[in-house]
Amino acid sequence: SCGAYHSVALDTSGGVWSWGKNYLRQLGHSPYHSVMPLPKQIDPNQIDPSVEIRFLQSGRDFFLIAQQDGTVTQIGILDPLVRIHIGGVCSISCGDDHFLALTDTGEMYGWGYNAYGQTGVTVSDKKIQRVPFPTVINRSLEGVLIAAGGGHSVAVVRPMTLKSLCALALRKIIDESNVCDILEFSVQYHVPLLLSSCVALIDENFDQLICLGKVQQLPKQAVALVQSMTGRVVPDVTERLRLLREEALMRTHTHKPALLALPYYPPNPS
């Protein structure tokens, strides 16, 4: 696999070889050399040698090693090693500064530089400049093939059913600002497709919604559904936030505006 000025290869015994320019440590060799004209095997200790390597993929100034257990190791861009885990990964493609991954169940992930929307990841239909970790592109789509260009990406997906098309349309309406309200409605009036779309969005943005306190304010039945469908635990932060508020007030004798800005969430409705 070739980057802008480097190449990498996998031999039949599982060894990884690299050569070319190394100004951003994209060859994975130590000590550092700016150029290596001939192939040299990288230090095998940089990856777990007991786990089979499935494939290599180069970006502009880095390369990725994907192993059988789902471990993906990035070498290059000055960082010594960056490791992530994507369960069931079967394909990876690299652009100049972004990555795509496809799993054997058809889930597609994107991460990296995203100024042009090339990772496929959006938040409330808005592009974000950088996606720091692998993020599901769209749960309504089942990928077959992926390919990353310099600043764009292409994916081949399976034909969509009417249900999938409806779910995709709903995802353009539901966002972090209204997802919990819509979930509460879908639980109350038993709308399965609406419910599953809301839970999928909550799962993708769980930490953000927890920090905002939105999930904790849902009725108990809705919270139970989120926990059972996502496997996540929704913490009861009402008491903790109350204690933080009291501690902040005890540390000062005046009611400063900053203290009034501390969030307070009422108890969950029964």
Side-chain angles (χ1 to χ4, degrees):
S1 180
C2 299
Y5 302 104
H6 74 283
S7 302
V8 293
L10 179 66
D11 65 29
T12 55
S13 62
V16 179
W17 300 71
S18 62
W19 63 100
K21 287 190 175 181
N22 194 38
Y23 55 96
L24 293 175
R25 311 279 175 90
Q26 60 263 56
L27 298 184
H29 295 302
S30 182
Y32 168 77
H33 297 286
S34 59
V35 179
M36 300 199 69
L38 297 176
K40 179 181 177 182
Q41 187 172 2
I42 70 168
D43 182 356
N45 292 323
Q46 295 187 87
I47 56 175
D48 185 350
S50 66
V51 181
E52 179 186 351
I53 296 175
R54 297 189 68 176
F55 46 83
L56 305 175
Q57 180 68 41
S58 287
R60 183 176 59 189
D61 300 310
F62 56 88
F63 70 94
L64 300 182
I65 302 172
Q67 295 179 269
Q68 191 70 36
D69 64 352
T71 300
V72 179
T73 303
Q74 175 189 322
I75 295 176
I77 311 292
L78 298 180
D79 294 319
L81 286 176
V82 177
R83 286 195 180 91
I84 57 175
H85 186 273
I86 303 174
V89 61
C90 63
S91 178
I92 282 181
S93 186
C94 301
D96 280 355
D97 299 294
H98 75 287
F99 315 83
L100 299 178
L102 176 68
T103 70
D104 49 18
T105 59
E107 281 191 322
M108 296 178 291
Y109 292 81
W111 71 103
Y113 189 60
N114 193 46
Y116 310 112
Q118 60 264 53
T119 68
V121 177
T122 60
V123 175
S124 300
D125 283 339
K126 295 180 180 179
K127 296 191 297 287
I128 50 180
Q129 288 292 312
R130 187 170 293 276
V131 181
F133 48 83
T135 304
V136 175
I137 293 174
N138 191 318
R139 292 189 186 276
S140 301
L141 301 175
E142 183 181 351
V144 178
L145 295 171
I146 53 171
H152 69 287
S153 299
V154 175
V156 177
V157 300
R158 296 195 185 280
M160 299 182 71
T161 63
L162 178 59
K163 181 178 179 180
S164 297
L165 285 170
C166 291
L168 185 60
L170 285 172
R171 292 297 301 276
K172 294 182 179 297
I173 301 170
I174 304 169
D175 59 27
E176 293 84 351
S177 67
N178 60 24
V179 62
C180 290
D181 293 332
I182 296 175
L183 175 62
E184 186 174 348
F185 171 88
S186 65
V187 171
Q188 182 177 354
Y189 293 99
H190 307 289
V191 188
L193 183 58
L194 199 57
L195 189 150
S196 60
S197 297
C198 290
V199 171
L201 184 62
I202 289 173
D203 189 29
E204 292 173 20
N205 302 276
F206 187 77
D207 292 337
Q208 177 186 349
L209 292 168
I210 285 292
C211 289
L212 293 173
K214 292 181 177 292
V215 181
Q216 296 92 319
Q217 295 184 70
L218 287 168
K220 290 181 179 179
Q221 184 182 2
V223 170
L225 276 171
V226 169
Q227 294 186 143
S228 64
M229 293 176 69
T230 65
R232 295 179 179 271
V233 176
V234 178
D236 182 5
V237 298
T238 304
E239 183 65 16
R240 181 170 63 83
L241 288 173
R242 185 184 65 79
L243 292 173
L244 286 173
R245 192 180 180 88
E246 289 181 356
E247 288 174 6
L249 290 171
M250 290 175 63
R251 285 196 298 269
T252 180
H253 298 291
T254 59
H255 294 273
K256 296 180 180 180
L259 295 176
L260 300 179
L262 282 171
Y264 175 74
Y265 304 120
N268 291 338
S270 56

